[in-house]
């Protein structure tokens, strides 16, 4: 009987664990001896690379090198790359190439450059095998990528000339790009600045986040109200690379089975439940003036068994045939889904675990390629938790070490604590994340067991250390004994990390004396440190304000200050230089004209660039006190109305500009937006007022809009209740661009005051140490609303700005419910300080001296300085090469 021989083709391995194969006989046509090999989805380790390279014959290596992609370096090469991409990648021609296609071709030409350096960076890092930083942030507010890439690689002038040859203006091409919708506020923008600095300083680092299909939302203002619509930012995104071979199975629900193995060790197996696929998408992050190009890896969710169930479809269940895919895709659909409903809470927790688990899998896989002992893990890996959102990475790494790698508890916990650092971003107790125990039990049963074990061992340690303070156990427990019980994520992050940092000096002091007071007693003060936030001058000066950047470089002799911002202090030598002052002033006016033009195009409101531009753009929240600002605007409006036409002409003209998004479920913040728009409608239509006061709300505030707004400010408002803003970074951006601040003694305002001098900032309001006494007095003392604020409320109640009922909750929160954010307490001080600003602005020579001096003294607030502090004090990493 004849036997059938089956030849096995190349074995297809799961992407998550494809091993390195042995090299066997040559395959392919005779004479071609390229070895057959398999590779892991994250590439080879250094030894395998050397082995593979040695096995490839020299002629083939030479052929590969000969035809390897090269970076364009001239205008002609750039034009060639752009036209090639327009014609072949985008299938357009000379006759139908519009600005959108020109943007596509330009982006792809620059992406090619970045990819070449990106590959080389990854190879260098693989060979050096250094300790890497992994920055876990639920938000990365990256902004537009093209302009940043052109500036960082030093090719913007070549691109401008090349595009001009092809018939396009650089400014029109840049405008075609949509902002990457991966964040909302300061948390995400800080993370983006940090990635820029990590690459610029040549540190080996990866960012990890989710690839939100619809972003947080696109904000539209309809009849004065915020309306949320999807942000279809991924319609064309040339900056990402799908890694369909890099997938991770993520498990939810199910149960935990425990048994004893042959050696008597207890084994836990998390089984059953639901599996969702995480698919990686990579985006290159170029450093400025360096070849280093790091990586931002984003995870997208997919159904584990594919997008489509043919069996259900054939049986007529058409909707059900795609239901699994739709359910899976919701995980990475939207940033911060509305959590006012239980299903929203579950989706948020799902998002956080999905992202943490996929990222940890990737990090562990990369470490295992080195074949080092697990005890070396903290010497190879530093993971920074940006706020509490990625805290589930702590029990997830424990689960990997205990259940999958077979380490014991003590060794696993020692590795975890040495690996993680935690950045706290709030002192507001209500903003510290908590998840209900029943929710965690249902969604992540094994993780809840691990969290309980971490908590038990920690509480036993506390009891041994403080035997007479039983009440401390309840205060510091990870599990809050409420109904239902809650998991305190900030406490888990703190206990599982070797360092905890605040983001401004006041904030770092406050967390040690308020929310983490007990933990300072337990661990001592050395576990806590401060790293004051900073911003990247590449985007927030060089890119956003190129004329000012060029002026500074002309006086300093080079653009070196963009990599060492402390060099800025030298421009203080030119504070009395007539030519310098004249050009500085002209640049500010030109930036105001540009913003005025944008306001006219976007909102249809005409504003006078000669007026004082007063700007508050940030996430809308009661603690940031946009309500204080708009009440102040109403007060100004009432004062102007009472003036004679002659006096009104003498008043300092103002343009009050607001921008920012409110969380979809945050009704009070949405009410503030509605009030701003109603005031804008009334004031701007009042012919008596004219240019003396204009009020503008810019919809859908984002990074690219900030790049127009920030350079145009005369005054920016950073007026949070003292002790509530962790740091703030927009304050730094405004001052670096020649705008002064009105602010409270809060967050980084304090350090900005120390650097720029008290004469160059306008501070007002109560201090953080008085806040609790004032709040107490509101309920138990004689609380009187400020008389000027009372008048504002009476005007609102009279219907001047529309239906007073729409704003009653906002007013009542101050009048009847304790004024938690001290709007009334600070109102008089705020109004008086605004009058000082009016008078100071009229003295233009003195004002100009203040702004130049402030810019010159901003050298401390660079994100490069932050990263160096993190690297030395928290991550213990060094730069692995220099160029």
């Amino acid at each position: 009987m004849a036997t059938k021989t089956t030849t096995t083709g190349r074995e297809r391995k799961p992407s998550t664990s494809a091993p390195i194969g042995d090299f066997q006989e040559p395959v392919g046509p005779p004479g071609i001896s390229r070895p057959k090999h398999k590779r892991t989805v994250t590439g080879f380790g250094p030894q395998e690379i050397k082995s593979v390279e040695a096995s490839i014959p020299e002629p083939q290596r030479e052929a590969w090198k000969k035809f390897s992609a090269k970076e364009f370096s001239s205008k002609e090469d750039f034009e060639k790359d752009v036209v090639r991409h327009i014609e072949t990648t985008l299938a357009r021609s000379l006759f139908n190439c519009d600005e959108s296609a020109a943007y596509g071709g330009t982006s792809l030409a620059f992406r090619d450059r970045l990819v070449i350096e990106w590959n080389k960076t990854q190879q260098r890092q693989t060979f050096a095998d250094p300790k890497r930083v992994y920055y876990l942030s639920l938000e990365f507010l990256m902004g537009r990528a093209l302009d940043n890439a052109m500036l960082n690689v030093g090719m913007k002038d070549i691109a401008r000339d090349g595009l001009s040859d092809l018939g396009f203006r650089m400014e029109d091409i840049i405008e075609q790009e949509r902002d990457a919708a991966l964040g909302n506020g300061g948390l995400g923008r800080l993370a983006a600045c940090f990635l820029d600095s990590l690459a610029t300083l040549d540190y080996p680092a990866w960012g990890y986040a989710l690839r939100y299909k619809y972003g947080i939302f696109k904000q539209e203002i309809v009849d004065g109200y915020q309306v949320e619509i999807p942000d279809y930012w991924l319609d064309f995104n040339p900056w990402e690379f799908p890694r369909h071979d890099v997938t991770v199975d993520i498990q939810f629900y199910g149960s935990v089975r425990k048994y004893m193995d042959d050696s008597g060790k207890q084994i836990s197996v998390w089984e059953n439940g639901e599996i969702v696929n995480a698919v990686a998408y990579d985006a290159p992050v170029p450093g400025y003036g360096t070849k280093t190009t790091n990586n931002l890896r984003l995870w997208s969710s997919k159904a584990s068994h594919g997008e489509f169930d043919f069996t259900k479809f054939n049986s007529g269940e058409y909707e059900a045939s795609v239901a699994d895919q739709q359910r899976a895709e919701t995980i990475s659909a939207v940033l911060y889904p509305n959590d006012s409903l239980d299903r929203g809470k579950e989706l948020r927790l799902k998002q956080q675990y999905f992202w943490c688990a996929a990222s940890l899998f990737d990090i562990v896989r990369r470490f295992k390629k080195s074949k080092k002992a697990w005890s070396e893990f903290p010497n190879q890996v530093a993971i920074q938790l940006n706020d509490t959102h990625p805290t589930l990475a702590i029990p997830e790494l424990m689960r990997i070490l205990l259940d999958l790698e077979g380490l014991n508890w003590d060794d696993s916990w020692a590795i975890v604590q040495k690996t993680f650092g935690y950045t706290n971003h709030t002192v507001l107790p209500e903003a510290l994340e908590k998840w209900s125990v029943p929710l965690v039990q249902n969604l992540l049963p094994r993780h809840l067991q691990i969290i309980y074990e971490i908590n038990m061992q920690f509480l036993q340690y506390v009891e041994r250390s403080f035997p007479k303070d039983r009440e401390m156990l309840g205060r510091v427990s990870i599990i809050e004994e409420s109904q239902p019980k809650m998991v305190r994520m900030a406490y888990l992050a703190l206990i599982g990390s070797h360092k905890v940092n605040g983001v401004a000096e006041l904030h770092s002091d406050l967390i040690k004396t308020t929310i983490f007071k007990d933990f300072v007693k337990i661990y001592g003060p050395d576990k806590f440190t401060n790293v004051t936030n900073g911003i990247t001058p590449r985007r927030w000066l060089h890119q956003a304000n190129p004329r000012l950047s060029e002026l500074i470089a002309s006086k300093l002799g080079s653009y070196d200050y963009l990599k060492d911002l402390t060099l800025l202090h030298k421009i203080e030598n030119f504070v009395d230089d007539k030519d310098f002052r004249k050009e500085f002033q002209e640049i500010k006016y030109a930036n105001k004209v540009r913003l005025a033009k944008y306001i006219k195009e976007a909102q249809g409101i005409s504003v006078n660039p000669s007026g004082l531009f007063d700007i508050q753009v940030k996430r809308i929240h009661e603690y940031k006190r946009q309500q204080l600002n708009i009440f102040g605007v109403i007060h100004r409006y009432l004062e102007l109305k009472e003036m004679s036409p002659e006096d009104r002409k003498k008043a300092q003209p103002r343009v009050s500009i607001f921008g920012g998004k409110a969380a979809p479920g945050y009704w009070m913040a949405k009410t503030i937006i509605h009030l701003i728009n109603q005031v804008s409608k009334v004031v701007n239509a009042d012919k008596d007022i004219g240019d003396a006061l204009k009020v503008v709300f810019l919809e859908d505030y984002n990074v690219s809009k900030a790049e127009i707004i920030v350079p145009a400010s005369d005054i920016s408002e950073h007026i949070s209740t003292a002790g509530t803003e962790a740091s703030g970074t927009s304050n730094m951006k405004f001052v670096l661009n020649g705008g002064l601040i009105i602010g409270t003694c809060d967050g980084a305002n304090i350090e900005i005051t120390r650097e720029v001098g008290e004469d160059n900032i306008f501070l007002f309001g109560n201090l953080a140490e008085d806040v609790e006494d004032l709040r107490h007095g509101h309920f138990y003392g004689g609380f009187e609303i400020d008389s000027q604020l009372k008048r504002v409320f009476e005007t609102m109640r009279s219907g001047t700005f529309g239906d007073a009922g729409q704003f009653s909750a906002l007013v009542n929160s101050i009048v009847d419910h304790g004024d938690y954010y001290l709007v009334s307490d600070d109102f008089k001080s705020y109004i008086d300080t605004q009058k000082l600003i009016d008078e100071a602005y009229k003295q233009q020579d003195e004002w100009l001296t203040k702004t130049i001096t402030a810019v010159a003294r901003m050298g401390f607030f660079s994100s490069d300085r932050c990263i160096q502090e993190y690297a030395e004090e928290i991550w213990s990493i060094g730069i692995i090469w220099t160029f």
Side-chain angles (χ1 to χ4, degrees):
M1 183 173 140
T3 54
K4 185 178 177 184
T5 351
T6 311
T7 7
T8 314
R10 181 174 176 177
E11 186 183 357
R12 187 173 181 180
K13 292 282 184 181
S15 64
T16 54
S17 57
I20 304 298
D22 294 328
F23 297 108
Q24 296 168 358
E25 71 286 346
V27 294
I32 301 296
S33 57
R34 180 162 186 165
K36 176 184 179 183
H37 62 269
K38 300 168 189 166
R39 52 156 293 183
T40 64
V41 290
T42 51
F44 291 117
Q47 291 312 311
E48 286 87 2
I49 289 177
K50 289 173 184 171
S51 171
V52 171
E53 190 173 30
S55 68
I56 298 173
E58 185 64 30
Q60 290 167 35
R61 270 185 279 169
E62 286 304 314
W64 188 278
K65 284 176 186 172
K66 182 179 176 183
F67 297 109
S68 272
K70 306 258 186 323
E71 302 164 354
F72 68 79
S73 56
S74 67
K75 184 180 73 164
E76 290 71 25
D77 288 344
F78 166 72
E79 290 174 20
K80 181 180 173 185
D81 282 2
V82 171
V83 171
R84 176 175 58 82
H85 275 301
I86 290 170
E87 291 186 343
T88 61
T89 312
L90 304 176
R92 297 287 190 96
S93 70
L94 169 66
F95 308 105
N96 66 352
C97 177
D98 55 10
E99 287 169 351
S100 173
Y103 159 71
T106 305
S107 297
L108 291 165
F110 273 94
R111 188 190 73 171
D112 289 353
R113 270 192 70 99
L114 296 190
V115 169
I116 293 165
E117 293 304 338
W118 187 29
N119 283 328
K120 288 177 182 175
T121 299
Q122 297 308 316
Q123 286 167 21
R124 279 195 299 267
Q125 291 180 3
T126 299
F127 273 114
D129 199 19
K131 184 173 188 176
R132 289 179 171 92
V133 176
Y134 297 102
Y135 198 81
L136 269 58
S137 179
L138 201 55
E139 298 183 38
F140 282 95
L141 202 55
M142 301 300 286
R144 288 172 173 161
L146 175 59
D147 202 11
N148 184 249
M150 290 190 291
L151 288 167
N152 277 13
V153 301
M155 288 282 169
K156 189 168 182 178
D157 289 340
I158 280 178
R160 179 182 280 107
D161 293 345
L163 284 168
S164 178
D165 286 354
L166 297 171
F168 296 97
R169 288 174 67 246
M170 171 66 78
E171 293 73 20
D172 298 330
I173 300 309
I174 289 171
E175 282 299 311
Q176 300 303 307
E177 184 174 358
R178 301 176 81 154
D179 277 36
L182 296 171
N184 177 34
L187 184 85
R189 188 51 235 172
L190 180 75
C193 284
F194 280 3
L195 288 189
D196 177 88
S197 288
L198 282 160
T200 299
L201 296 171
D202 299 320
Y203 286 117
W206 287 56
Y208 280 103
L210 289 176
R211 180 180 177 265
Y212 304 105
K213 192 172 182 181
Y214 305 114
I216 181 164
F217 58 82
K218 190 169 185 286
Q219 181 193 55
E220 289 189 355
I221 302 299
V222 179
D223 297 329
Y225 292 94
Q226 171 180 294
V227 175
E228 302 92 23
I229 63 171
D231 185 350
Y232 298 103
W233 70 285
L234 285 169
D235 286 352
F236 176 65
N237 180 20
W239 303 101
E240 69 174 13
F241 290 87
R243 300 293 200 192
H244 294 301
D245 55 342
V246 182
T247 63
V248 186
D249 288 342
I250 308 298
Q251 186 174 354
F252 298 104
Y253 310 110
S255 57
V256 180
R257 177 170 55 89
K258 296 192 174 186
Y259 67 93
M260 304 291 272
D261 68 5
D262 295 341
S263 64
K265 182 181 176 183
Q266 187 179 71
I267 306 295
S268 296
V269 181
W270 182 17
E271 55 192 13
N272 304 320
E274 175 183 286
I275 302 291
V276 175
N277 270 153
V279 182
Y281 287 76
D282 288 346
V285 181
Y288 173 79
T290 175
K291 299 290 188 183
T292 300
T293 304
N294 283 334
N295 197 39
L296 171 60
R297 176 156 284 180
L298 307 171
W299 298 104
S300 187
S301 51
K302 283 181 64 177
S304 60
H305 54 267
E307 298 180 8
F308 189 71
D309 189 324
F310 229 117
T311 308
K312 285 180 180 174
F313 186 83
N314 285 340
S315 62
E317 300 174 66
Y318 305 126
E319 290 81 8
S321 67
V322 292
D324 287 352
Q325 176 63 6
Q326 287 175 341
R327 189 168 65 251
E329 282 188 351
T330 58
I331 294 173
S332 59
V334 174
L335 169 64
Y336 300 137
N338 187 347
D339 62 353
S340 54
L341 302 171
D342 286 344
R343 289 189 69 189
K345 289 183 176 68
E346 181 178 270
L347 180 55
R348 277 211 189 188
L349 189 60
K350 253 188 172 179
Q351 274 191 338
Q352 291 184 8
Y353 177 65
F354 173 86
W355 153 56
C356 289
S359 304
L360 257 293
F361 186 94
D362 210 39
I363 292 165
V364 166
R365 176 173 55 192
R366 197 168 294 114
F367 168 76
K368 287 175 75 172
K369 284 193 304 175
S370 70
K371 298 182 172 59
K372 291 181 178 174
W374 278 107
S375 58
E376 289 296 304
F377 190 81
N379 297 326
Q380 293 293 108
V381 172
I383 302 175
Q384 192 66 28
L385 307 176
N386 192 28
D387 213 352
T388 53
H389 308 125
T391 303
L392 285 170
I394 289 171
E396 173 63 8
L397 183 54
M398 283 297 288
R399 185 187 72 84
I400 291 168
L401 297 175
L402 292 167
D403 299 355
L404 305 184
E405 301 299 334
L407 275 68
N408 64 41
W409 181 275
D410 290 344
D411 289 345
S412 299
W413 186 239
I415 290 167
V416 165
Q417 280 194 307
K418 289 173 186 171
T419 299
F420 287 99
Y422 160 49
T423 302
N424 172 273
H425 284 276
T426 183
V427 291
L428 299 175
E430 67 272 20
L432 295 174
E433 275 194 313
K434 296 175 189 175
W435 297 108
S436 80
V437 166
L439 173 59
V440 181
Q441 170 72 53
N442 181 45
L443 193 67
L444 304 167
R446 178 61 180 136
H447 296 77
L448 187 65
Q449 290 178 354
I450 291 169
I451 290 167
Y452 264 93
E453 182 64 25
I454 292 169
N455 194 44
M456 187 184 76
Q457 298 214 12
F458 170 66
L459 292 180
Q460 286 173 349
Y461 169 74
V462 173
E463 192 166 35
R464 287 194 304 271
S465 305
F466 302 91
K468 294 179 182 177
D469 193 349
R470 289 289 177 88
E471 288 184 2
M472 183 189 278
L473 297 177
R475 293 198 304 268
V476 301
S477 173
I478 295 170
I479 307 300
E480 181 180 270
E481 298 296 328
S482 52
Q483 287 299 326
K485 292 181 178 181
M486 305 292 281
V487 181
R488 296 160 160 162
M489 302 306 277
Y491 290 6
L492 177 57
L494 186 155
I495 293 163
S497 299
H498 66 279
K499 276 283 185 186
V500 177
N501 74 283
V503 290
E505 285 179 8
L506 174 65
H507 171 238
S508 296
D509 289 341
L510 283 172
I511 63 173
K512 289 191 285 187
T513 55
T514 57
I515 53 172
F516 298 147
K517 183 178 179 181
D518 288 317
F519 292 95
V520 177
K521 287 183 195 168
I522 294 164
Y523 290 112
D526 289 350
K527 180 160 180 154
F528 300 85
T529 189
N530 173 64
V531 182
T532 298
N533 282 345
I535 57 174
T536 168
R538 274 79 63 181
R539 182 174 291 267
W540 293 112
L541 182 55
H542 192 46
Q543 182 173 328
N545 202 344
R547 279 187 64 190
L548 182 56
S549 178
E550 186 182 357
L551 175 63
I552 292 168
S554 72
K555 295 301 179 187
L556 301 186
S558 74
Y559 283 100
D560 289 353
Y561 75 92
L562 292 173
K563 290 189 82 165
D564 180 5
L565 200 59
T566 59
L567 295 174
L568 267 186
H569 77 274
K570 294 179 180 178
I571 68 163
E572 200 164 345
N573 298 330
F574 301 95
V575 74
D576 296 319
D577 182 301
K578 283 185 182 176
D579 292 339
F580 181 81
R581 289 171 67 86
K582 183 171 180 285
E583 191 166 354
F584 191 97
Q585 199 164 29
E586 284 173 358
I587 290 166
K588 175 60 74 175
Y589 187 74
N591 287 329
K592 291 172 73 175
V593 169
R594 179 176 66 156
L595 177 56
K597 185 182 172 192
Y598 174 77
I599 290 169
K600 180 65 176 171
E601 289 170 357
Q603 310 295 130
I605 300 169
S606 297
V607 300
N608 182 358
S610 299
L612 188 156
F613 277 24
D614 174 348
I615 300 176
Q616 187 179 21
V617 283
K618 52 186 73 205
R619 185 166 55 92
I620 309 294
H621 197 291
E622 287 168 277
Y623 89 81
K624 292 179 184 286
R625 297 204 297 189
Q626 286 92 349
Q627 69 273 36
L628 173 60
N629 188 346
I630 194 61
F631 294 155
V633 170
I634 295 171
H635 172 78
R636 179 180 289 269
Y637 174 62
L638 296 175
E639 285 200 325
L640 286 167
K641 287 293 280 182
E642 288 176 343
M643 289 180 186
S644 66
E646 291 75 25
D647 287 342
R648 215 175 283 138
K649 282 176 187 170
K650 294 175 192 169
Q652 172 58 51
R654 256 200 208 225
V655 182
S656 286
I657 299 167
F658 296 81
K661 296 177 180 179
Y666 191 178
W667 186 64
M668 196 69 90
K670 287 179 151 182
T671 302
I672 294 168
I673 291 175
H674 184 216
L675 177 60
I676 294 166
N677 283 299
Q678 289 303 104
V679 172
S680 171
K681 188 175 167 184
V682 171
V683 171
N684 297 345
D686 193 324
K687 290 178 181 174
D688 292 342
I689 300 299
D691 279 348
L693 180 62
K694 294 286 187 183
V695 184
V696 179
F697 186 91
L698 291 170
E699 70 179 17
D700 202 39
Y701 176 62
N702 58 22
V703 175
S704 53
K705 290 186 177 74
E707 289 168 19
I708 299 171
I709 295 166
V710 168
S713 84
D714 293 308
I715 276 287
S716 61
E717 308 225 5
H718 310 277
I719 56 177
S720 51
T721 310
T724 60
E725 184 71 86
S727 168
T729 51
S730 64
N731 43 11
M732 303 166 192
K733 293 161 195 161
F734 281 107
V735 180
L736 186 62
N737 281 274
L740 301 183
I741 283 175
I742 177 171
T744 48
C745 292
D746 198 25
N749 287 354
I750 295 167
E751 286 151 276
I752 290 173
T753 304
R754 187 174 65 208
E755 295 293 321
V756 304
E758 289 183 17
D759 293 341
N760 303 313
I761 190 168
F762 296 91
L763 296 176
F764 75 96
N766 286 283
L767 301 177
E769 54 261 37
D770 301 324
V771 168
E772 282 309 313
D773 288 343
L774 287 165
R775 284 175 178 160
H776 184 269
H778 290 176
F779 284 104
Y780 303 106
F783 176 46
E784 263 306 310
I785 298 289
D786 178 87
S787 58
Q788 295 175 107
L789 185 58
K790 259 186 190 169
R791 186 177 173 220
V792 168
F793 290 164
E794 284 162 9
T795 307
M796 291 169 63
R797 289 190 185 110
S798 72
T800 302
F801 306 110
D803 179 4
Q806 297 287 331
F807 313 117
S808 58
L810 187 57
V811 173
N812 292 344
S813 70
I814 296 164
V815 176
D816 300 326
H817 301 298
D819 190 13
Y820 186 79
Y821 295 105
L822 310 189
V823 173
S824 178
D825 299 85
D826 285 347
F827 192 71
K828 184 179 187 308
S829 175
Y830 177 69
I831 294 301
D832 292 346
T833 307
Q834 290 285 18
K835 285 175 182 169
L836 289 176
I837 291 168
D838 285 338
E839 292 310 310
Y841 191 73
K842 287 174 182 174
Q843 310 301 318
Q844 273 294 296
D845 273 354
E846 288 177 28
W847 185 274
L848 185 57
T849 300
K850 286 176 184 288
T851 59
I852 294 170
T853 306
V855 172
R857 296 177 181 178
M858 285 299 288
F860 176 76
F861 298 101
S862 167
S863 51
D864 295 351
R865 185 262 314 153
C866 301
I867 291 302
Q868 284 163 340
E869 289 181 15
Y870 276 102
E872 291 165 16
E873 295 179 30
I874 299 174
W875 302 330
S876 302
I877 59 167
I879 300 169
I880 60 167
W881 61 78
T882 54
F883 294 101

